[in-house]
Amino acid sequence: MKAIFTTPLILASLLLPSLAQTAAPEADTVVEKKAEVLLAKGNSWTYDVTLTIPKDLDFKPEFDVPGEITPRGMVYKFSEKQVSNGPQPIESLKADVPVIDIFIENKLKKKQVLNYTNDQLHYHGTFMNNAEDPTKKVGFITIVPIVLYNKVAKIGDKWSWTTEKMPRFEFRVVSKNTKIEILGKTYITDKIRMDRIDKTTSNTLVSKEYWFAEGIGIVKEQEKKYISRDQAIVKTLELKEFKKAIK
Amino acid sequence: MRYLFSILITVLLVFQASAQQQEEAPKDLPEKFLLEQNAIIDPQNILSPEQVVLIRKEQKLLLENHRCMVSYGFYGIHHSQMEIRRTWTASIPATDQQFHILINIGSFLKNHNIDIQFKNPPLLDDINEVENILASATQNIQSERGLDAILEASFVSINDELAYLSTRPLLEKDQSDLEETKKNAAFKAYIIKLVKIALCIIVPLIALFIIWNIYSNSRNKKPYYFPETKTITRLGAPHGASSITQQNR
């Protein structure tokens, strides 16, 4: 008789705490973020750049480098250096995000806002301080970042970034952990292809292929800006030197 | 000794035969197209022998790595794009399920014209994806100058796009399987939760029912004794208009 009374109570006492457990909010997990060293202040990347302008195109370069006439068109070769300033306060992002100065032939041309977080390289925009009023900036900053690289992405993975009044950015992983030799150095890289697509016509405006080496960054990049069906301005960057900041 | 020698020779012959058989064994990859002339359709002999060798080498690699037969077609002023396309289409058996690509290159004095055709593409979630990717590759190859540069760009670009296209269906399957597993797990968790809630309601009810049942049974089982009555006469009248009943104590 006693057993009949106690069994349901025991069952209830066993079940009720488990129910309470499922209903309770999950405990917050504190994730300790590792310091991202890729874009640490003082890190610098020097690239050899080759810019090919098709023959019939009227192009005035912003840099003082003489071009060479080739069957493909006018070819300009110059050096581009990118230097990280480390995290800087970016008003529109309401956060401190690494800013990279881009020098072409030792002249500061623009500043890029990049971030490397959770094994992803994020692009937040490009700007330049106004020469007349240094407090004013010209360029664009996006709060929702454009993901340039994702360590965990596999071959065949794709992602895109879209916003109003701008073309759609489509990314896909073409290869993983492949060897590439650049200026005599061999890197293990992931190759990513980016297409900038016109949303109304679905035409590719710009296509870019870049090779990303872990711990170094972009070691090679080839950008084709299409100006007609069979003509493109081709810009190739190849990493000449990567210097880590001295601690 | 003679027997030993003959056994040794037999073993050697068997070993040699098996090795030869291994070499001659048909490979898993279908190579019939490499042997056929239509893998390179060049009626005007635009290509140099070196270029033909290079294309054949790349075709073999693409077939091995991505299981896709990439054919090349070349035409000039004496042939049309459509002729090459027709020849290529006719060369693929109707029952063939393999992924085929034709890179059709129009070689003219001042420029080159590229178009890419395909047959039996891999099935993807986005039905236009193959078309978009190959259109992008076309644009990429088209922007090169000179036949050598075009061929070089086509090898790299097509290899990249095929790497993506051949892996994408597997990735989509994995993603869909993962979603299915997650959905099933969520449904299972939901059902378990419902069962728990139901049990929490049903168990006390059952308990109450059992308690009520036990109490009611115990009450019913208690014997009830009706009083023993005895009629007595009143004023000598046994069955009068009224009677007084008295219990005997």
Side-chain angles (χ1 to χ4, degrees), chain B:
Chain B
M1 188 66 188
R2 207 174 62 183
Y3 285 122
L4 195 71
F5 186 69
S6 64
I7 287 166
L8 191 69
I9 287 193
T10 316
V11 167
L12 272 171
L13 281 172
V14 167
F15 182 75
Q16 198 179 1
S18 70
Q20 206 172 7
Q21 205 175 13
Q22 264 181 350
E23 274 176 22
E24 285 169 4
K27 286 181 183 174
D28 183 33
L29 294 166
E31 287 198 49
K32 60 184 178 185
F33 263 84
L34 287 174
L35 305 171
E36 285 178 23
Q37 204 180 353
N38 284 338
I40 298 175
I41 309 163
D42 184 14
Q44 287 185 221
N45 291 322
I46 290 167
L47 293 172
S48 67
E50 293 79 25
Q51 285 170 329
V52 171
V53 171
L54 202 65
I55 291 172
R56 293 242 184 245
K57 190 184 147 199
E58 289 298 328
Q59 281 176 322
K60 196 170 186 295
L61 282 174
L62 291 170
L63 189 63
E64 280 173 2
N65 296 337
H66 310 299
R67 305 185 73 82
C68 175
M69 184 59 229
V70 182
S71 300
Y72 279 80
F74 297 89
Y75 61 93
I77 47 167
H78 301 300
H79 289 82
S80 70
Q81 193 186 46
M82 281 308 292
E83 278 178 66
I84 305 293
R85 208 183 287 181
R86 270 200 295 269
T87 312
W88 173 73
T89 311
S91 71
I92 303 168
T95 52
D96 197 339
Q97 294 299 306
Q98 199 191 332
F99 185 23
H100 288 267
I101 285 178
L102 168 70
I103 302 170
N104 207 357
I105 302 171
S107 186
F108 302 102
L109 197 64
K110 283 189 174 177
N111 66 326
H112 288 85
N113 187 46
I114 319 288
D115 80 288
I116 297 178
Q117 301 295 315
F118 59 89
K119 208 182 167 196
N120 307 327
L123 294 172
L124 301 175
D125 286 348
D126 179 359
I127 51 166
N128 297 321
E129 193 156 17
V130 179
E131 214 163 296
N132 292 340
I133 281 168
L134 291 179
S136 173
T138 307
Q139 200 171 14
N140 184 23
I141 300 165
Q142 178 93 51
S143 65
E144 295 296 331
R145 288 282 164 272
L147 192 54
D148 282 329
I150 283 173
L151 288 176
E152 186 60 42
S154 76
F155 300 149
V156 176
S157 188
I158 292 297
N159 182 54
D160 284 354
E161 305 306 8
L162 284 177
Y164 174 81
L165 286 175
S166 57
T167 326
R168 186 76 197 150
L170 302 172
L171 203 70
E172 281 181 354
K173 192 184 172 296
D174 285 352
Q175 281 166 353
S176 130
D177 287 351
L178 192 71
E179 274 171 32
E180 193 68 25
T181 314
K182 273 185 186 172
K183 217 183 272 180
N184 287 345
F187 183 69
K188 202 177 160 186
Y190 174 71
I191 294 293
I192 288 170
K193 199 175 172 182
L194 274 185
V195 169
K196 280 179 181 175
I197 292 169
L199 281 174
C200 283
I201 297 165
I202 291 165
V203 166
L205 281 177
I206 291 170
L208 279 174
F209 174 76
I210 291 167
I211 292 163
W212 176 78
N213 200 30
I214 289 163
Y215 271 111
S216 59
N217 279 349
S218 62
R219 213 166 41 236
N220 287 347
K221 278 173 190 169
K222 195 179 172 186
Y224 181 78
Y225 300 102
F226 284 94
E228 284 176 19
T229 54
K230 191 180 178 181
T231 51
I232 53 164
T233 53
R234 187 172 177 253
L235 302 174
H239 301 290
S242 65
S243 65
I244 295 166
T245 305
Q246 189 183 339
Q247 190 182 350
N248 283 343
R249 290 183 187 270

Side-chain angles (χ1 to χ4, degrees), chain A residues 5 12 15 38 44 77 94 133 171 181 204 216:
Chain A
F5 278 104
L15 287 167
L38 182 71
S44 71
K77 287 187 176 182
K94 292 175 185 167
D133 183 0
F171 296 84
E181 196 182 313
T204 307
I216 297 172

